[in-house]
Each structure stands twice: as C-alpha cells, then as structure tokens.
C-alpha cells in the first residue's frame, strides 16, 4: 500500500513540473494510500514489540 501511494504521489505531482493539466481529485485520494500503508506497518511493529515483550516476561517468570 505504501508503495502504491508513493507512486501515486509522484504521478500527481508530475503536472507541477511538466506543465500539463492537473489530475482529477480521485487521483489525490489515491495518494492517501501512502499514509494508510505507513499506519499499517507501524501497527505491525507495535504488535510485534508487544508480543516480544510478553514472551520475554513469560520466560523470566518460568
């Protein structure tokens, strides 16, 4: 998702540099996938850290 959003961001910024007509508003909405992908990966990192913390506590208690 992050990569798709990053590519969409590059594509939607192209009219600024290439002097062509701007893209419609739905193209800008696709750019939001970059933030969504980042949020999903951050949530995965936090879940992994929490699981490792629980495993470390369980091994110390046993």
């Amino acid at each position: 998702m992050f990569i798709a959003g990053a590519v969409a961001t590059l594509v939607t910024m192209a009219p600024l540099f290439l002097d062509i007509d701007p893209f419609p508003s739905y193209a800008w909405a696709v750019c939001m996938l970059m933030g969504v992908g980042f949020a999903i990966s951050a949530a995965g990192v936090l879940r992994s850290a929490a699981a490792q913390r629980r495993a470390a506590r369980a091994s110390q208690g046993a």
Side-chain angles (χ1 to χ4, degrees), residues 24-44:
S25 60
Y26 66 83
W28 291 95
V30 175
C31 294
M32 298 300 149
L33 288 177
M34 188 164 61
V36 171
F38 183 76
I40 290 171
S41 65

Side-chain angles (χ1 to χ4, degrees), residues 1 21 34 39 50 53 61:
M1 280 189 142
D21 291 333
M34 188 164 61
R53 208 174 316 129

Side-chain angles (χ1 to χ4, degrees), residues 2-58:
F2 179 83
I3 293 172
V7 169
T9 301
L10 291 175
V11 168
T12 53
M13 291 295 173
L16 295 173
F17 302 107
L18 301 176
D19 196 31
I20 57 177
D21 291 333
F23 292 104
S25 60
Y26 66 83
W28 291 95
V30 175
C31 294
M32 298 300 149
L33 288 177
M34 188 164 61
V36 171
F38 183 76
I40 290 171
S41 65
V45 167
L46 293 175
R47 284 186 62 184
S48 176
Q52 288 178 2
R53 208 174 316 129
R54 282 192 301 271
R57 286 182 187 155

